[in-house]
């Protein structure tokens, strides 16, 4: 049984995240999507709402579950018996940053990181940019699952 963790902030989940999670679900027997909570980052959505959105969107994936984690990602992976962390990579800049974390995580507990190149149609996507564009009146519906888009508009009072 191979189990992987797809970690992230998911504030909110984008179609780019969804693509990576779906691809991970074809590579591993089980995938745990792990939303980081209680970190210092400013969030638009509460922890509980980020998890709710993930569960709504991922309900149809039989081998994908959603959970939260606090503290070190490697501790969560070890507790869940995950052999790999899966991350999407959009650019060389992403890779530089992710590579250092991957090496540190491997050094800490031996957990491997698998990088999936973001699909070309998603390389411009990030949760932060989507929020900024939406706040300034741009149409972000092509970038988000429909239920997430609805919640984003409500949250931004649009
Ligand atoms: O969606 P994000 O913001 O890129 O997700 C980042 C996240 C939550 C995956 C990353 O910040 C993380 O792994 N945080 C857990 C804390 C940790 O383990 N830090 C040491 C990394 S080597």
């Amino acid at each position: 049984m191979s189990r992987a963790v797809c970690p992230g902030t998911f504030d909110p989940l984008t179609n780019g995240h969804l693509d990576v999670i779906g691809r991970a679900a074809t590579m591993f027997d089980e995938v745990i999507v792990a939303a980081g909570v209680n970190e210092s980052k400013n969030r638009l959505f509460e922890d509980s709402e980020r998890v709710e959105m993930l569960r709504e969107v991922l309900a149809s994936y039989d081998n994908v579950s959603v959970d939260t984690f606090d503290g070190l990602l490697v501790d969560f992976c070890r507790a869940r018996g995950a052999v790999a962390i899966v991350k999407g990579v959009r650019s060389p800049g992403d890779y530089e940053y992710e590579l250092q974390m991957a090496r540190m995580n491997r050094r800490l507990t031996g957990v491997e990181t698998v990088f999936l190149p973001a699909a070309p149609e998603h390389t411009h996507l990030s949760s932060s940019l989507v929020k900024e564009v939406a706040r300034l009146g741009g149409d972000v519906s092509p970038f988000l699952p429909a239920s997430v888009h609805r919640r984003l508009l409500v949250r931004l009072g649009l």
Side-chain angles (χ1 to χ4, degrees):
M1 169 70 75
S2 63
R3 186 174 291 146
V5 168
C6 282
T9 305
F10 305 113
D11 187 42
L13 169 77
T14 69
N15 287 340
H17 293 127
L18 191 55
D19 180 56
V20 169
I21 294 164
R23 287 156 65 194
T26 67
M27 298 167 63
F28 295 91
D29 295 321
E30 274 185 22
V31 171
I32 305 171
V33 176
V37 298
N38 298 334
E39 287 173 59
S40 54
K41 286 185 189 175
N42 280 334
R43 302 268 162 68
L44 178 63
F45 292 96
E46 300 293 325
D47 297 343
S48 57
E49 196 168 6
R50 288 184 289 121
V51 168
E52 248 175 63
M53 287 190 282
L54 285 164
R55 292 206 168 120
E56 267 170 26
V57 172
L58 297 168
S60 59
Y61 292 74
D62 289 341
N63 63 336
V64 176
S65 61
V66 178
D67 208 342
T68 58
F69 77 100
D70 193 0
L72 280 179
L73 177 60
V74 288
D75 288 341
F76 178 84
C77 291
R78 186 155 47 187
R80 297 310 180 87
V83 295
I85 295 166
V86 178
K87 291 280 190 89
V89 178
R90 292 163 298 193
S91 65
D94 265 4
Y95 182 66
E96 289 246 332
Y97 175 65
E98 294 292 344
L99 184 61
Q100 192 182 13
M101 286 204 290
R103 286 179 169 146
M104 174 60 86
N105 285 333
R106 184 160 183 267
R107 176 68 182 75
L108 289 171
T109 62
V111 71
E112 294 286 1
T113 299
V114 174
F115 293 125
L116 297 183
E121 62 271 30
H122 296 139
T123 50
H124 59 292
L125 279 183
S126 73
S127 300
S128 315
L129 263 190
V130 164
K131 285 182 285 192
E132 181 177 331
V133 171
R135 272 196 190 102
L136 296 173
D139 176 16
V140 293
S141 60
F143 311 139
L144 300 170
S147 60
V148 173
H149 182 239
R150 279 194 297 276
R151 283 179 187 254
L152 180 64
L153 296 185
V154 170
R155 180 49 56 104
L156 294 176
L158 296 170

